[in-house]
């Protein structure tokens, strides 16, 4: 495994690998790796000749400076983990390396960046589009791997490749959960013991909500979820939506011929957690 810190060193190596007809799988991360990430690396290794993992806490996608400051950074542990997996190249750039000058690009993402996460974290997806487009152009992978926990991000990255006309296959990877159902996330590390015990409530609620489909309309299910969170004052529900999986429009009828996903964001103390579940 080789760790690169500069764009030139990384692209030099990738160009020679590409000229030898190696396929390249990219796993973009912000570090603080967990089993969710290792599943992405394993899938990338199974489907490509070369796996590139990037570790970069991208400042332009944080709209809350405190969130950026407290985002967990565990580089030594991350590199140890990647060493044990089949990661070939790891790219760990500095902010200056990725943003030698301010990135002023504004992406038109057809409003799928304005709902749910986009509504509550202004500018977040433009920042994601900035860094992901840079990483795509730099590494020119055949495939790029994204976890379904960040479902809206996955939809946006797909749209981004269309907008930029990039021939990259975006590979969605299933959410990996703890035994009690909590979706794996780097932010889970910031939950203290007491808050961690409360966190499974989130997935439990999603599962129960999906079962309510038999008796309730989508908007009644939404009300039911809000009421359930009202009874759990430690967990503050920021949003819950049941959307179709392309334009991310809320559905009003179970019979609409679209794939349906229930998505939510919850504050548990100072930690913001996301989860989603297929509602088909
Ligand atoms: O999902 C993440 O970890 C980040 O949003 C990504 C895709 C690495 C871009 O910074």
């Amino acid at each position: 495994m080789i760790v690169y810190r500069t764009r030139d060193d990384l692209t030099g190596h990738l160009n020679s690998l590409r000229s030898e007809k190696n396929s390249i799988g990219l796993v973009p991360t912000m570090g603080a790796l967990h089993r969710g990430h290792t599943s992405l690396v394993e899938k990338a290794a199974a489907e490509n000749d070369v796996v590139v993992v990037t570790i970069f806490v991208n400042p332009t996608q944080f709209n809350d400076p405190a969130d950026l400051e407290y985002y967990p950074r565990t580089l030594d542990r991350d590199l140890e983990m990647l060493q044990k997996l089949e990661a070939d190249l790891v790219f760990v750039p500095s902010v200056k390396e990725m943003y030698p000058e301010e990135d002023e690009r504004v992406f038109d993402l057809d409003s799928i960046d304005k709902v749910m996460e986009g509504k509550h974290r202004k500018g977040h997806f433009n920042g994601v589009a900035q860094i992901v487009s840079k990483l795509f152009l730099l590494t020119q992978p055949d495939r790029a791997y994204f976890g379904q926990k960040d479902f809206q991000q996955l939809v946006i990255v797909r749209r981004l490749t269309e907008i930029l006309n990039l021939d990259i296959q975006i590979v969605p990877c299933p959410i990996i959960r703890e035994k009690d159902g909590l979706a794996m996330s780097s932010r889970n590390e910031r939950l203290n013991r007491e808050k961690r015990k409360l966190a499974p409530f989130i997935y439990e609620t999603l599962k129960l909500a999906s079962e309510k489909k038999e008796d309730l309309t989508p908007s009644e299910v939404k009300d039911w979820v809000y009421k359930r969170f009202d009874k759990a004052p430690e967990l503050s529900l920021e949003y819950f939506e049941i959307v179709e999986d392309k334009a991310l429009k809320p559905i009003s009828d179970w019979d609409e011929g679209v794939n349906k996903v229930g998505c939510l964001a919850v504050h548990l103390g100072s930690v913001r957690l996301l989860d989603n579940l297929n509602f088909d």
Side-chain angles (χ1 to χ4, degrees), residues 28-30 56 58 61 128 131-132 146 150 153:
T29 81
M30 296 206 297
F56 179 64
N58 172 39
Q61 71 188 73
V128 170
I131 190 64
V132 171
F146 291 86
D150 295 303
Q153 170 171 278

Side-chain angles (χ1 to χ4, degrees), residues 192 245 264:
N192 63 26
D245 68 348
L264 48 65

Side-chain angles (χ1 to χ4, degrees), residues 10-41:
L10 177 72
T11 50
H13 193 161
L14 283 175
N15 287 343
S16 87
L17 289 167
R18 216 175 284 111
S19 69
E20 291 156 12
K21 303 270 175 273
N22 288 294
S23 60
I24 294 167
L26 173 69
V27 182
T29 81
M30 296 206 297
L33 303 183
H34 50 70
R35 274 198 289 122
H37 295 111
T38 58
S39 74
L40 306 186
V41 177

Side-chain angles (χ1 to χ4, degrees), residues 44-59:
E47 296 178 354
N48 300 276
D49 300 316
V50 177
V51 178
V52 184
V53 179
T54 64
I55 299 179
F56 179 64
V57 182
N58 172 39

